[in-house]
Each structure stands twice: as structure tokens, then as C-alpha cells.
Amino acid sequence: MREPPSTRAPTRHDDRLIIHFDYDCFYAAVFEAENPVLKSLPLAVQQKHIIVTCNYEARRRGLHKLQLINEARMTCPDVIIVLGEDLTRFRNASKELYAFLKSFVWSQKAERLGFDEVFLDVTDIVDYNLDILNHNSLPDSFFHLGRSDPTLGFSYDASCFAGNTFPAASDENEPQPMFTSFPKTDSSEATDFDRLELRLRLGSHLAQYLRHQLEEQKGYTSTVGISTNKLLSKLVGNVNKPTNQTTLRPPYSPTSGNAKSNVLSFIDDHDIGQIPGIGCKLAHKLRNYVLGREPQFDEGLVWGGTKENVKARDVRLFPGMSSEVLNEVLKGPGSHKDTGVKVWGLLHGVDDTEVAKARSVPRQISIEDSYLRLDTLTQIHKELLMLTSSLIRRMHLDLTEPEDDGNVFDEDEGIKADTIDTSRRWLAHPRVLRLTTRPRPPVQADGTRSRSFKRISRSTTLPSFVFRLADSIETIAEKLVNEALLPLFRKLHPETSGWDLSLVNVAVTDMIETASDGKGGGGRDIGRMFRRQNEVLKEWKVIEQDMAPSPHGTDEQHKAEDRMEMISNDYENQHQLNTHKGSEDDLFYTQTTTVEDESQWDSDEVDSHIGNACNICGATMPSFAMIAHERFHLNPD
DNA sequence: GTGTGGTAG
DNA sequence: CGTTCTACCACAC
């Protein structure tokens, strides 16, 4: 009777509507989009010695992911194999599709997971449409995609789901609880159920619309899941693939009658390792626990045949199971504090993590390569140079934007051919440079190779000369290798020789955003942002941005504005959109001087005699006061 | 603040 | 069990 609260099912929160996109065989689709002839042919993408993915025509002929090249050629001699080791085209396509999907959401909540998955939180759009739904004519509904333009949207039938559902729609004459006309009741239980049902229906129609737009306008098909959180929407999408969508249908909680929660029956059938958030380490610990850890080490005891598969229900219903037990079972080096609580939630389909808001800049950029053998300083130097050059290029691509305001004109007498674009400005300055290697473990005396394929790393402050836009990438890279990376390498490998590296990674992290608004920047703490900006930036200029377009625009303009209203400042977009029309942000900051010597800002003490002028009101004050002062202008409350 | 580990595609 | 090239988070120091 008196179960501790933690052994009961955690509380579900089903008031959101989350759509999960997974582009079908993405790498192959990118090549198909570039060359549509490939669509009808068996196509495989190669990295090193394996097929990393292949299109469905190739799969029909027996190929699959992560297959060896030789094996693939034997299975399907006429397969077209393209090299996909350079990720640039995939990254660009991924950003383009992401920007496209994001342009539909109002909340800015659009999260990319890898190159080929996107979560959208469309709760606000769906609830908006839910509230204006005519319950007496559900089949003739209109889905509004913009708040201000009532013509922007599409017709749909709100009396049913679009696409597949889980469980599948009962084919026979339905005990369907829903009708073409929707009764409003005051019974709270019925209302909650009805509202969830409708929310999911609307979400399924929006998902179908977006899927079709993605295919028609961008040429990519996708597999989509619709539910109330990231876990469920991602998992349920897998039920019908490819080029399809699935909505997890109610009831999500056991009803007062006898109906079981569809969430539980859905999750229960999954192998423990299939649940996002439960990786191989956690899955291993969970299997050991429910199968019994001891029998592994007792010689005689073979545990009841081979029950290799442990399902979510096996863990959830294991005698005595609770979040506390899971916390104990799953703790250890590398595990997080409340892993058990998190996993206990996942086993019940509970996942309260938010869809991350679109960020203006990535948190880190890293470039790595793997090697059969890397053991001379000459080779190291050469590889570091290549990696660093790529890294600088990525930094320019992802961390700068065109300076399209009053020109930073070149007063120099002519521009050198190998200089890079100086008419750009930095959106963020990484503070830290990190070098990571993976040493190949030495062969041991007993002949067996030790299996520690671990990475080791050292980091340092990123020198500010990498931000000089006038210098060539090669110049910067060489300087960075000599002055920072080789010292880090010596720290990492004090031995003068004898190392054998299988991997080298160079990364910049700890982005200090030079962004403008607290909104498009991804909801960072503004005060912290300014504090950190003041660590590296000396002088700021505040500029009035053109305000919103005229209120008497055409329909086309309105549609564009509706679509554009939330895509203001995302780094994915910077390269596709060079104008920001209709942004709600009225201020942004332009860096005019980069401090060459950062050390003067390193101290905890802020030099109070260094004055900054506010370009809004003209006031002059010390840097530390500018923090609060600028916040004052940003936030009139 | 630095380095490691886990998870994910 | 590993394979490739990332990116992000959180813990322990």
C-alpha cells in the first residue's frame, strides 16, 4: 500500500506538442538532391572502408548501413558508390533544411540533433488553432500558420488524424471516441482527454503539411513522429518508415475505466537500449541488474537459456524497482547525479526536457581526423596545420557574419589576394583552444593489446590573433600551431618520440557571444553575456536597426513576415539570409575594436577608469556599469 | 577553470 | 566488440 512516491509512475506532462523529423537516408538524399538521376538507382555513401548509408533502392537490393565496401559490391555489383568523407555538403544541406523548418515555428524552439534530425515545439501554433477551432465543423477546418495573416495556412480535417497512428486506427467500425462534431464538456477528465486528442490531431496535420512542404520545396522526404515530448515523438516516428509519419494517440494516462495508457504499452515493448538517453553503458548496467549480475561470474550457473533482450517493461516491473534503486544501479564513474530518476521517467515515457531554442552560434567547433599511424613530429605538424586551417575556415563560416552596416572600408592601398574577407564581424569569440589525441595503446608483454581507446586532451586560452580578419587562414593556422598547439602537444606527450596516435582533434570552445539580443541569442543570461563580452571587447557601438516594415504591406509581404518573425538571429540562417526584415529586435551591437592583448582583462578587478560611452543616451561610465546600463536599455521593465 | 566520460547521430 | 566525425552536457578535480 504505502509505496514511496518514487516507486510510482512519475507525473506526465502532456501539454506540449512536439514534432520530430528524421530525413530519410540523409547522406544519400543529399547526393540525390544534387543529382536527381540517382534517385532511381542504388546509391551508397562511403566513408573510409564502409558504407555509412545508402538509399532505399540499394536497400531493396540487400545493402544496409555500416556495410563493408567489398561486401556491398558483391551483393549489388551495379551499386553507385560516392565518397562522403567531406561533411561540408551534408552540413550545408542540414542547415538549409533546419532553417526551412524553423521558419514555421513561432516559439524559436527548433533543435537540430546531428545532421538529419530536428525537433520542433509547435505547442503555441497548435494551441492557437485549437482555440479557434469550430467544433461544429471539424472536417472543414483551416490551419493558421501566421498570427497576423489569416490567409496563411491550409485546409484540413480536424475530425481525424493525418497519417498513421500508434496504435493503428482500428480498421473495423470504430469504437472511435471522436466525432466530426466535438462536444464541449465540463467534466475535467473528459476535457483533458479531448484536448489532448485534438492537440495531437492538429499536430499530425501540421506535421503532414511540413513534411510535404519539405519534399516539394526542398526535395527531401522525412520520417516524422508526433507526440507531447521529445522522447515519445522521436520513438513513435520509427513505427512507420520511411517517408511517413506516426502520431502516438491517446489515452496517454490510464483512464478511469480500464483502458491502458498507450504511452506505457508503447514504451514497454522497446528494448532498453533503444530508448534515447539510455546508451550502451546504462543499458549494460540495466541488463546486468534484471538478468542477475552474479550468474555471470559463477562458473556453473547458466541463466535460464539466453534471454538477451531486456525490454523497458522488464526493468519497469522488476520487483522493488524505483528511481532510487535505479540511481544505485546506474551510479558510477561518468554517470550523472540523478540518472536513476531520469531513466525511471524515460521508462514511463516521461521526458520534460525542452526543445532547445535556436542558437546564434554553436557551443564548440572541432575538427578531427583518424590515422593508421602518426608518429613523427613532421607528420604531426603537417596534420595539425591541416586540421587548424579547416578549423579557422569553420570559425569564419559559423562565427562571423557580413558587416553590412556602415562599411569598415579598406583604407589600405589595395587588398592582398590571400587575405580573407574583412567586411565581416565576429558573432562570438571562443575563449578556449583544445587539443585532443587518442594514443594507440602499446602492445603489452603478454601479447594482448590493451583496449583503452581513450582520448586525452589539454587546453589553453585561444590567442586573439586568430580573430584577425585581415590575415590569411594559412598564416593564422601556422602561427596557432607553432605558438599554441605544439606546446599543448608537448604537454600531452612529454616523451620526445614513441607515441603512436590514431586520432587528433582540434577544438575551440567556450563561445563568448558578441550577439545583440537576448532573444535570438538563445535565451542566454544577458548579464553574464555582457560580463563575458567585456572580458574581450573594448568598445561597443549601439546602432538603431531599421524598424519593422510598413503596416500596409502586400499579402506576400505579410506571409513572409509571418514566416520570418522568429528567425532573426540564428547562425544557420546567416548564410542564407543576408537581410533581416521584420525582426522584433530593435538593437544590436557592433564590435568596433578587438582587444589585441586580452591579458589586461583577465584580472578579476574591472578597471574602473576605462570608460564606455552608451550610444543610446550618450552617457559615459566604467565598463562594469555598462553591464547594468545596457540591460536597462534592453529591458524597460 | 580543466579534463574526462557518456550519449547521440 | 569495434568502425567516422562530430556536438553537447555534467561531474570531479
Short mmCIF file of all heavy atoms in Angstrom, two decimals, chain A residues 494-515:
data_model
loop_
_atom_site.label_atom_id
_atom_site.label_comp_id
_atom_site.label_asym_id
_atom_site.label_seq_id
_atom_site.Cartn_x
_atom_site.Cartn_y
_atom_site.Cartn_z
N PRO A 494 54.82 14.31 -23.29
CA PRO A 494 56.14 14.83 -22.90
C PRO A 494 57.29 14.02 -23.51
O PRO A 494 58.38 14.56 -23.68
CB PRO A 494 56.14 14.70 -21.38
CG PRO A 494 54.70 14.55 -21.00
CD PRO A 494 54.05 13.85 -22.15
N GLU A 495 57.05 12.76 -23.81
CA GLU A 495 58.09 11.95 -24.44
C GLU A 495 58.46 12.60 -25.78
O GLU A 495 57.61 13.15 -26.47
CB GLU A 495 57.61 10.52 -24.70
CG GLU A 495 56.62 9.98 -23.69
CD GLU A 495 55.20 10.38 -24.02
OE1 GLU A 495 54.72 10.03 -25.11
OE2 GLU A 495 54.55 11.05 -23.18
N THR A 496 59.73 12.54 -26.13
CA THR A 496 60.15 13.18 -27.36
C THR A 496 59.77 12.37 -28.59
O THR A 496 59.73 12.88 -29.70
CB THR A 496 61.68 13.40 -27.36
OG1 THR A 496 62.30 12.16 -27.01
CG2 THR A 496 62.07 14.47 -26.36
N SER A 497 59.54 11.08 -28.39
CA SER A 497 59.09 10.27 -29.52
C SER A 497 58.44 9.00 -28.97
O SER A 497 58.37 8.80 -27.77
CB SER A 497 60.27 9.90 -30.43
OG SER A 497 61.11 9.00 -29.74
N GLY A 498 58.02 8.16 -29.86
CA GLY A 498 57.49 6.88 -29.42
C GLY A 498 55.99 6.83 -29.37
O GLY A 498 55.41 5.76 -29.26
N TRP A 499 55.34 7.98 -29.51
CA TRP A 499 53.89 7.93 -29.50
C TRP A 499 53.37 7.45 -30.84
O TRP A 499 54.01 7.56 -31.87
CB TRP A 499 53.27 9.29 -29.18
CG TRP A 499 54.20 10.43 -29.21
CD1 TRP A 499 54.79 11.03 -28.15
CD2 TRP A 499 54.67 11.12 -30.37
NE1 TRP A 499 55.59 12.04 -28.57
CE2 TRP A 499 55.53 12.12 -29.92
CE3 TRP A 499 54.44 11.00 -31.73
CZ2 TRP A 499 56.18 13.00 -30.77
CZ3 TRP A 499 55.07 11.86 -32.60
CH2 TRP A 499 55.93 12.84 -32.12
N ASP A 500 52.21 6.92 -30.79
CA ASP A 500 51.55 6.42 -32.00
C ASP A 500 50.10 6.83 -31.88
O ASP A 500 49.32 6.23 -31.14
CB ASP A 500 51.71 4.89 -32.09
CG ASP A 500 50.92 4.33 -33.25
OD1 ASP A 500 50.45 5.11 -34.09
OD2 ASP A 500 50.77 3.09 -33.29
N LEU A 501 49.75 7.86 -32.60
CA LEU A 501 48.40 8.42 -32.44
C LEU A 501 47.46 7.84 -33.48
O LEU A 501 47.82 7.66 -34.65
CB LEU A 501 48.45 9.94 -32.59
CG LEU A 501 49.44 10.66 -31.68
CD1 LEU A 501 49.36 12.16 -31.89
CD2 LEU A 501 49.18 10.30 -30.22
N SER A 502 46.24 7.53 -33.05
CA SER A 502 45.24 7.08 -34.01
C SER A 502 44.22 8.18 -34.29
O SER A 502 43.40 8.05 -35.18
CB SER A 502 44.53 5.84 -33.49
OG SER A 502 43.82 6.12 -32.31
N LEU A 503 44.31 9.27 -33.52
CA LEU A 503 43.35 10.36 -33.75
C LEU A 503 43.88 11.67 -33.20
O LEU A 503 44.54 11.70 -32.15
CB LEU A 503 42.01 10.03 -33.08
CG LEU A 503 40.89 11.07 -33.20
CD1 LEU A 503 39.56 10.41 -33.47
CD2 LEU A 503 40.81 11.92 -31.94
N VAL A 504 43.60 12.75 -33.92
CA VAL A 504 43.92 14.09 -33.44
C VAL A 504 42.70 14.98 -33.65
O VAL A 504 42.05 14.92 -34.69
CB VAL A 504 45.13 14.69 -34.20
CG1 VAL A 504 45.39 16.12 -33.73
CG2 VAL A 504 46.37 13.83 -34.02
N ASN A 505 42.39 15.76 -32.62
CA ASN A 505 41.23 16.65 -32.68
C ASN A 505 41.64 18.04 -32.20
O ASN A 505 42.32 18.16 -31.19
CB ASN A 505 40.10 16.07 -31.80
CG ASN A 505 38.89 17.00 -31.71
OD1 ASN A 505 38.99 18.16 -31.32
ND2 ASN A 505 37.74 16.47 -32.07
N VAL A 506 41.24 19.05 -32.94
CA VAL A 506 41.47 20.43 -32.53
C VAL A 506 40.11 21.11 -32.39
O VAL A 506 39.28 21.02 -33.29
CB VAL A 506 42.34 21.20 -33.55
CG1 VAL A 506 42.62 22.61 -33.04
CG2 VAL A 506 43.63 20.46 -33.81
N ALA A 507 39.90 21.75 -31.25
CA ALA A 507 38.58 22.33 -30.99
C ALA A 507 38.71 23.72 -30.40
O ALA A 507 39.69 24.04 -29.71
CB ALA A 507 37.79 21.44 -30.03
N VAL A 508 37.72 24.57 -30.69
CA VAL A 508 37.55 25.83 -29.96
C VAL A 508 36.22 25.75 -29.21
O VAL A 508 35.21 25.30 -29.76
CB VAL A 508 37.59 27.06 -30.88
CG1 VAL A 508 38.99 27.31 -31.38
CG2 VAL A 508 36.63 26.90 -32.05
N THR A 509 36.22 26.18 -27.97
CA THR A 509 35.02 26.09 -27.14
C THR A 509 34.87 27.37 -26.32
O THR A 509 35.69 28.28 -26.40
CB THR A 509 35.10 24.90 -26.15
OG1 THR A 509 36.11 25.18 -25.18
CG2 THR A 509 35.46 23.62 -26.87
N ASP A 510 33.82 27.36 -25.50
CA ASP A 510 33.60 28.48 -24.58
C ASP A 510 33.31 29.76 -25.34
O ASP A 510 33.99 30.77 -25.15
CB ASP A 510 34.83 28.66 -23.69
CG ASP A 510 34.49 28.48 -22.24
OD1 ASP A 510 33.94 27.41 -21.92
OD2 ASP A 510 34.74 29.41 -21.47
N MET A 511 32.32 29.72 -26.18
CA MET A 511 31.98 30.86 -27.02
C MET A 511 31.52 32.04 -26.17
O MET A 511 30.65 31.90 -25.32
CB MET A 511 30.83 30.49 -27.98
CG MET A 511 31.12 29.32 -28.87
SD MET A 511 32.48 29.63 -29.98
CE MET A 511 32.64 28.02 -30.75
N ILE A 512 32.10 33.17 -26.43
CA ILE A 512 31.64 34.41 -25.83
C ILE A 512 30.90 35.18 -26.91
O ILE A 512 31.51 35.72 -27.83
CB ILE A 512 32.81 35.23 -25.27
CG1 ILE A 512 33.53 34.41 -24.20
CG2 ILE A 512 32.33 36.55 -24.72
CD1 ILE A 512 34.90 34.93 -23.86
N GLU A 513 29.59 35.22 -26.78
CA GLU A 513 28.79 35.79 -27.86
C GLU A 513 28.89 37.30 -27.90
O GLU A 513 28.82 37.97 -26.89
CB GLU A 513 27.33 35.35 -27.71
CG GLU A 513 27.15 33.87 -27.96
CD GLU A 513 25.68 33.50 -28.10
OE1 GLU A 513 24.96 34.28 -28.76
OE2 GLU A 513 25.29 32.47 -27.56
N THR A 514 29.07 37.80 -29.08
CA THR A 514 29.04 39.24 -29.29
C THR A 514 27.67 39.63 -29.84
O THR A 514 27.52 40.60 -30.54
CB THR A 514 30.11 39.67 -30.30
OG1 THR A 514 29.98 38.88 -31.47
CG2 THR A 514 31.47 39.49 -29.72
N ALA A 515 26.69 38.81 -29.51
CA ALA A 515 25.37 38.98 -30.09
C ALA A 515 24.68 40.19 -29.52
O ALA A 515 25.18 40.90 -28.66
CB ALA A 515 24.53 37.74 -29.86
#
